Amino acid sequence: MITELKEIKKKGARCARTEEKMAYWLWYPGDFEIYHALLQNFSREERGFDWPAFWYQADCRRNVRFSREYELEKETEFTVYSHSQGYVTINGRKRLFGEKLTCGPGRVRVEIFAGRLDALPAVFVEGERICSGAGWEAWDFTGETQEAGWSARYCKKEQDPAVWEYESVRVKPVSETEKNGGILYDFGRELTAVVHLGAREASVFPLTLCYGESEAEALDTEYCYYSQTLHAPEEPVRKRAFRYVFVPGKRAGELEAEAEHFYVDIPVKADFKSKDRQLEQIWQVCEETFRLCSGVFFIDGIKRDRWIWSGDALQSYLVNFYLMFDEEINKRTILGLRGDDPVRQHINTIVDYSMYWIISLDWHYQRTGDLDFVRMTYPKAVSMMEFLEKQLDENGFLVGRPGDWIFIDWAEMDKGGPLCAEQMLLAVCYRTMEKLERLATGEAAGGYAGKAEALLEKIERFYWLEERQAYIDCFSTGKNSVTRHANIFAVFFGLVGRERAEAIYTHVLANDRVPQITTPYFKFYELEVLCRLGRLAEVLERMKAYWGAILQEDTGAVWEEYDPAQTGPERYAMYGDRYGKSLCHAWGASPIYLLGRYFMGVAGTAVADETFEVCPHPELLEPFCAAVPVKNGLVRLNSDGKTLTVCADRDGGVLRYGGVEYVLQAGREVRVEMQRPESV
């Protein structure tokens, strides 16, 4: 029988503290993220059909042993709580969950055996001397013991780590309109919510709720992505993502609608206000989009998939550092994506997404300095690398296998053989593995650096076309097709020098005959490259043109894909579905990163931002004020068009502007006279 907690659940219960100690729920490391990723990837729904993710889903362990040894000077008491089946042993003697246990003095070994078939096995130990937290080990009865996993979010014995505790807020519609023979509710913004109907007398039933990110979708009772028919007042309403709700066949006054919006409260640290109203609105819409897609994990979009995608997440890690700087959501997403060994399939079935996962470990470490996380994930990086190397062809190039998806972007590419962009990612993975190996083991014995250089030499020989000054997609078909993607990667990942980068700009990025990028996803990479090449004015123009056009749609969020040439109902279509396009998609939030990293110029110059620089370009912007986070701090910038003021709330930074370097001391403002744009 599953042991039930004896304590009644209370809102606002304090974390268990004894002698300034805090107890936390424990689980096998990585299993919390794996279990909740499983729930996340099973949350998709389409027109009444539940749609679990189509790739292999790892699951948490079902039975775990937790243990710790103590040297006790006197007798002490403790209690073990769990939603699992199991028992406690003190020096081998079995005891029950929920009992007050006594042990000591002397050496004491506490072991807790917990098994749970329906959810995540976890335990909570409360006591003056013996309590759960750092220092406990977990074992799944194979291999070596590991340091147990825990989170500061789960520090009350009344909780269950198998349940994520969302915040919620009630939202009233901003308008209620009789239209098309029914009532249309507009909530003014996108929500992930449950609709509550105030007057639910039996006479109004049955009724149908038709949801939409756009008004057109909600009014389309036949093809809207979500709808639900309620037959009785007590019938529960499902949680869905929407801005509009249409109730056909009803009239104003028959119903009162309200939405309960559920979210994860991750504080935003960055800010941007500007006299350039359009640019400020772009920031605000990107922030709204990103916050909606930042929950337990970074997900792609709130309406359609609600899945965790590695390529989408890679960009979200960067935006996160320039908006929220929340390390925990990064780690949850990284662990949830990877699952467990052995590797059975590429992440999301996409070859490039497996490589993005490896790259993300280095990106996360550089900004956080979390060496423990590197050591925890490094073995999984090794096994992923081994999995990738099993599909190299005779030239050492990475190729797809049956069931693999070679993606890169939604664009026409020559994928008739090994794709250049994939080989570039593989080279970056080799370089990344060399760094991770040194961090995790203290040496570099895997030969990764040599593999990277050998692969880069082959990429140059097989894919660089001198007469076109560009990398081709594929050499084996003879088409010599050039798209922007591999060429962007070459510059983005630092695989070429400045002269080659400039050639790529001239012959590819500034060449209108090369097909344009149409997704915000890959526009991020393209605009980042332009920033690195110093073409900030061009980036600003492109940013305002593309994201400014999305603003005109007045949906309040950034779309998955946007083509300004589409003006009718087709602009909502994607994947052969009339409303298949996500109108709130996380990969569209990159202007936050680009503005913070290049226009405000805030960047770490050492691991964990121990030192950082501020190299702003206020001359390109109208008067503004901004706040950009660094690890354990915040940089504030203010420009009135004549003077730039910079202030950091921690030491370690320098301001570089106009050829002069200024040391930033915590809390002290630095004021400099601004330059003219043409002098930049």
Side-chain angles (χ1 to χ4, degrees):
M1 177 178 288
I2 297 178
T3 303
E4 294 185 357
L5 295 176
K6 294 184 178 181
E7 296 290 329
I8 299 175
K9 198 168 187 178
K10 302 174 184 177
K11 286 190 175 181
R14 290 189 173 185
C15 297
R17 293 174 181 270
T18 52
E19 296 181 356
E20 298 185 351
K21 287 188 177 181
M22 186 178 291
Y24 302 96
W25 282 90
L26 304 177
W27 48 76
Y28 193 89
D31 270 13
F32 175 88
E33 294 79 8
I34 290 172
Y35 175 73
H36 283 279
L38 186 67
L39 299 183
Q40 182 69 57
N41 288 333
F42 273 59
S43 69
R44 181 174 177 176
E45 175 201 357
E46 182 185 86
R47 296 185 176 86
F49 292 92
D50 291 313
W51 187 352
F54 56 79
W55 51 82
Y56 170 77
Q57 293 285 307
D59 196 2
C60 65
R61 290 155 180 80
R62 294 301 173 188
N63 58 325
V64 182
R65 186 197 73 184
F66 302 92
S67 62
R68 186 170 178 181
E69 291 189 357
Y70 291 88
E71 190 67 48
L72 302 176
E73 296 179 357
K74 60 180 181 179
E75 184 179 275
T76 190
E77 294 181 337
F78 69 97
T79 306
V80 177
Y81 300 92
S82 182
H83 300 274
S84 306
Q85 297 171 276
Y87 58 89
V88 187
T89 68
I90 303 173
N91 291 338
R93 183 184 175 190
K94 290 184 179 180
R95 304 297 297 269
L96 294 173
F97 291 160
E99 284 189 343
K100 191 166 289 285
L101 307 176
T102 303
C103 62
R107 179 170 290 278
V108 172
R109 179 173 177 82
V110 179
E111 294 183 332
I112 307 170
F113 295 82
R116 190 172 181 182
L117 293 175
D118 66 325
L120 174 74
V123 299
F124 185 92
V125 185
E126 183 180 57
E128 292 185 0
R129 178 71 175 85
I130 298 176
C131 63
S132 49
W136 281 77
E137 292 185 330
W139 185 46
D140 66 353
F141 308 99
T142 65
E144 299 179 355
T145 58
Q146 307 289 330
E147 183 178 347
W150 57 276
S151 167
R153 285 181 174 270
Y154 291 90
C155 57
K156 296 174 284 190
K157 60 178 177 287
E158 297 84 6
Q159 294 174 299
D160 181 355
V163 178
W164 184 274
E165 298 172 345
Y166 288 92
E167 303 290 331
S168 70
V169 62
R170 292 286 185 124
V171 180
K172 294 183 180 297
V174 297
S175 69
E176 176 183 341
T177 310
E178 287 195 17
K179 200 165 188 176
N180 291 11
I183 309 172
L184 178 68
Y185 297 100
D186 177 4
F187 288 88
R189 55 168 294 205
E190 293 236 22
L191 304 169
T192 301
V194 171
V195 173
H196 294 279
L197 300 172
R200 299 187 69 170
E201 290 82 4
S203 61
V204 303
F205 293 90
L207 61 82
T208 300
L209 303 175
C210 300
Y211 301 83
E213 288 189 294
S214 64
E215 180 178 319
E217 181 184 8
L219 291 172
D220 192 335
T221 58
E222 184 177 1
Y223 290 104
C224 62
Y225 216 77
Y226 298 141
S227 66
Q228 182 177 1
T229 298
L230 303 173
H231 297 89
E234 65 276 6
E235 192 171 343
V237 180
R238 290 190 67 163
K239 181 169 68 175
R240 293 184 169 97
F242 58 89
R243 172 175 169 173
Y244 299 89
V245 176
F246 179 60
V247 187
K250 304 301 174 184
R251 301 184 65 179
E254 288 189 82
L255 295 169
E256 292 179 2
E258 193 176 58
E260 185 177 5
H261 173 57
F262 292 89
Y263 64 98
V264 176
D265 188 14
I266 303 176
V268 168
K269 298 175 182 176
D271 192 22
F272 180 75
K273 297 289 188 298
S274 175
K275 193 174 180 181
D276 183 337
R277 183 59 184 153
Q278 184 190 45
L279 195 59
E280 182 179 318
Q281 287 178 326
I282 289 172
W283 175 285
Q284 291 170 347
V285 168
C286 288
E287 179 182 322
E288 175 77 355
T289 301
F290 195 74
R291 293 183 72 184
L292 285 165
C293 296
S294 302
V296 185
F297 308 96
F298 291 124
I299 59 172
D300 60 337
I302 62 172
K303 184 190 83 170
R304 193 193 61 238
D305 290 13
R306 299 204 294 261
W307 291 339
I308 315 165
W309 294 91
S310 182
D312 305 50
L314 187 74
Q315 296 184 13
S316 289
Y317 304 141
L318 292 181
V319 175
N320 175 29
F321 286 132
Y322 281 86
L323 184 66
M324 305 180 300
F325 212 112
D326 186 90
E327 298 181 30
E328 294 306 309
I329 189 173
N330 271 20
K331 293 195 290 186
R332 289 196 300 268
T333 304
I334 290 169
L335 292 173
L337 278 167
R338 177 58 177 82
D340 244 327
D341 283 329
V343 183
R344 294 176 172 86
Q345 186 183 60
H346 283 295
I347 295 175
N348 311 125
T349 75
I350 303 176
V351 177
D352 23 311
Y353 279 26
S354 289
M355 293 188 282
Y356 286 145
W357 184 86
I358 292 173
I359 294 167
S360 73
L361 300 181
D362 179 42
W363 286 12
H364 182 78
Y365 171 75
Q366 292 302 320
R367 293 305 304 273
T368 68
D370 192 341
L371 188 56
D372 287 339
F373 189 66
V374 171
R375 289 171 176 155
M376 175 187 179
T377 53
Y378 175 69
K380 293 184 178 182
V382 171
S383 57
M384 178 60 78
M385 201 72 228
E386 291 172 347
F387 186 73
L388 286 161
E389 289 188 312
K390 289 178 181 177
Q391 57 189 102
L392 302 182
D393 68 6
E394 65 278 6
N395 292 312
F397 291 139
L398 187 62
V399 294
R401 300 171 300 189
D404 288 345
W405 181 2
I406 301 291
F407 175 55
I408 299 298
D409 189 22
W410 295 114
E412 291 296 326
M413 298 181 204
D414 181 4
K415 297 181 180 180
L419 190 65
C420 183
E422 298 283 357
Q423 315 318 315
M424 289 179 170
L425 287 176
L426 181 60
V428 175
C429 282
Y430 281 138
R431 287 182 171 181
T432 300
M433 289 299 298
E434 196 269 341
K435 295 179 190 177
L436 297 176
E437 185 181 29
R438 287 185 184 278
L439 290 169
T441 69
E443 59 181 3
Y448 293 118
K451 291 179 179 179
E453 296 314 305
L455 180 57
L456 288 170
E457 187 278 327
K458 290 179 181 177
I459 291 173
E460 182 75 9
R461 180 152 42 98
F462 283 86
Y463 293 97
W464 177 254
L465 207 59
E466 185 68 24
E467 60 268 28
R468 296 187 65 179
Q469 291 289 286
Y471 291 96
I472 59 175
D473 288 334
C474 178
F475 65 87
S476 58
T477 63
K479 296 178 181 179
N480 291 343
S481 172
V482 173
T483 58
R484 295 172 182 261
H485 301 78
N487 292 282
I488 287 171
F489 274 174
V491 183
F492 180 89
F493 288 110
L495 304 180
V496 296
R498 182 74 187 196
E499 184 178 347
R500 174 67 60 83
E502 290 291 348
I504 287 172
Y505 173 80
T506 301
H507 296 276
V508 181
L509 303 186
N511 184 353
D512 290 339
R513 290 174 295 178
V514 179
Q516 294 289 333
I517 303 295
T518 61
T519 61
Y521 174 58
F522 225 86
K523 276 193 180 293
F524 156 74
Y525 292 110
E526 184 176 37
L527 294 182
E528 162 100 9
V529 164
L530 294 176
C531 286
R532 292 190 187 185
L533 294 176
R535 290 171 169 83
L536 294 182
E538 181 179 346
V539 170
L540 189 62
E541 181 181 349
R542 291 195 186 196
M543 189 188 303
K544 294 174 73 172
Y546 187 82
W547 276 267
I550 295 177
L551 288 179
Q552 299 304 309
E553 298 289 344
D554 193 32
T555 53
V558 185
W559 295 17
E560 180 178 11
E561 182 186 46
Y562 186 74
D563 183 352
Q566 295 178 333
T567 56
E570 70 274 7
R571 68 191 189 280
Y572 302 125
M574 204 168 178
Y575 313 111
D577 188 300
R578 186 174 298 189
Y579 300 104
K581 185 177 296 180
S582 169
L583 305 189
C584 179
H585 214 78
W587 72 23
S590 58
I592 291 173
Y593 165 75
L594 295 170
L595 287 168
R597 171 64 183 86
Y598 291 102
F599 290 85
M600 306 306 132
V602 179
T605 52
V607 171
D609 298 345
E610 183 177 350
T611 59
F612 60 93
E613 65 181 10
V614 183
C615 304
H617 292 276
E619 306 84 0
L620 298 174
L621 305 172
E622 294 186 26
F624 71 90
C625 61
V628 182
V630 292
K631 185 174 174 67
N632 300 323
L634 198 67
V635 178
R636 298 187 182 277
L637 303 94
N638 193 299
S639 163
D640 61 7
K642 297 179 180 179
T643 303
L644 172 68
T645 304
V646 179
C647 182
D649 63 4
R650 47 152 285 202
D651 293 334
V654 295
L655 167 65
R656 295 190 174 95
Y657 186 74
V660 182
E661 183 176 296
Y662 308 85
V663 175
L664 295 174
Q665 296 178 320
R668 297 187 62 179
E669 290 185 347
V670 176
R671 296 174 181 269
V672 296
E673 185 178 342
M674 287 174 50
Q675 299 176 327
R676 294 183 178 183
E678 57 266 24
S679 66
V680 177

